[in-house]
Amino acid sequence: MTALKLLTGLEYSRYGLSGHGRKQQWFRFILILCMVVIAASYLLSKNTAPRAPFISGSLLIWILSSNFSMLHMLREPYAGHKAWLLTFPHPRRLLVTAKALSMLRFSGNFALLILLAESAVYFVLVQSGYYAPLSTNEWLITMLAHAAFAICILPVSIVFGLASSLFKSSLPVLGVIPYLLLWLLPFMVLPFVNAPILGWYDYKYSSAPYVLFYTLAVLLFGWPAAWLLLKRIAGHGMTALERPRYARERRVQASGRITRAHKTSGHPSGFAALYQLDSSRLRQWGGLKSVQAAKVCIPLGLAVLFCWLSTSSTDPLPLIPMLFVVPTLGATMWMMMRSSFERKQLIWWLSFPQSRLRLLLSSIASVWVAASRVNVVLGLSALAGLLTGPLFSEKTHFPLAESLQWLLFSFLTYTLVLTLALGLLQISYYFMKSKVLALLMLPLYVLIPFQQAFVKNVILHEPLVSSVLPDYSRLGLVALIGLPVATLSVLVGAQYMYTQLAVNADNDAALRTDSL
């Protein structure tokens, strides 16, 4: 057995699949497939073309695989086996290649699931009368073209996620912003693909022959670029693992901040101190030079864009909800990744003399406030552009009052969606209680990229045009139903926060067993 094969198997064992029987794995696969098909059949737009499920599936494969590898690499400096891994008598390039191959193998599992779900959703919507059926040959060509594209794009997406390790080592400031834009691009494109008013799903550039052309381009240019990037990750990204994290010192400092907050704030509950501690983790990312540059460039760019839209013949309404998609989606994904980042700190965190509900609420509040601040800044930037546009031109093609109403409605909508998503994600602690309930975690996480589809199908319901005013009654109905469910999820999740410790112990035990 070669060293690469051995290291790949060791890395793959960390994902917790090797300890399950084949029958149990097939049962999970079929159950999750059914859940994904049911959810996608409801969330995807109905008044589109038959190729829309296949395009959405390809984007979803990129989103899941790239974010999976990104999550893995960002949590690696906090892993307990970090020092042991670096003692292996193998070059860094071999270690990174083993990581990439293990992630490729794992990502292939849910890529296969999504490819099967694409065809299943297509047949469900055809039988429901929403799509005109394709001919057998056309359906087969479309399915095979997107399957080939998914297979070719997986290695690129894995390496793209691994490149997040270059953030604090060698990636220049001007390189971080394009990286983040490329990371956000699939999230932005996914709702547009399913927007009937735009018709992107029916362009000739999204047909099967063009998909095959894109596949060839990925093979010729994407794979060599990924290989070169993998070399750079091995040379520079892995250095982050070699640097001491001083976790003990940071915990002592954090405990000191909590003690001082108890003495000065006068609040016996200490919730303010917990909130400050949680917020300090996010402020560490806000201090990066690339983030500081984005704080200036993005609001100015949005103000200029909406200033131009307010005086041009292009309707600004379809772009207004998109302002709040990225912060809302980013906040929910950050909440999903927190449990992986904080594996080593969870025992220390649960030892605080505070109730688990306060601990959970402080983490939710810190993420909610950070995302809401970004939404406020983006909304004010768009507002400034809409108000200053008429000052430069007396001719406006669209009523300003309607644009302002939709801006307010969109902000309230995504604030509600953010609140519901952060609350519902806490039920994952309860799902960790047993292996059967753990099956529900993947559908819950898979539905996160479909937030925009939920907003469009449930809350907005109609295309945004100037002649239609926002329907606040629909927003109120969603809040009336969703907020109690989210509150219940938080209450239940707080009671089962300890289950993460059992999952961590099982994963570490499986890793040690497979390494022997």
Side-chain angles (χ1 to χ4, degrees), residues 33-44 46 121 443 446-447 450 457:
L33 176 63
C34 294
M35 293 179 181
V36 172
V37 170
I38 294 173
S41 300
Y42 173 74
L43 291 175
L44 290 179
K46 309 302 188 299
V121 170
V446 168
L447 292 178
F450 287 95
N457 293 340

Side-chain angles (χ1 to χ4, degrees), residues 19-20 24 28 431-439:
H20 305 303
Q24 187 178 8
R28 292 186 175 193
F431 290 161
M432 297 177 190
K433 181 181 178 182
S434 68
K435 295 181 179 180
V436 176
L437 292 175
L439 297 174

Side-chain angles (χ1 to χ4, degrees), residues 36-37 47 73 81 85 89 147 169 276 399 418 425 467 482 486 490:
V36 172
V37 170
N47 301 319
M73 210 60 180
H81 61 273
L85 178 67
S169 57
Q276 288 182 349
L418 174 66
L425 283 174
S467 59
V490 173

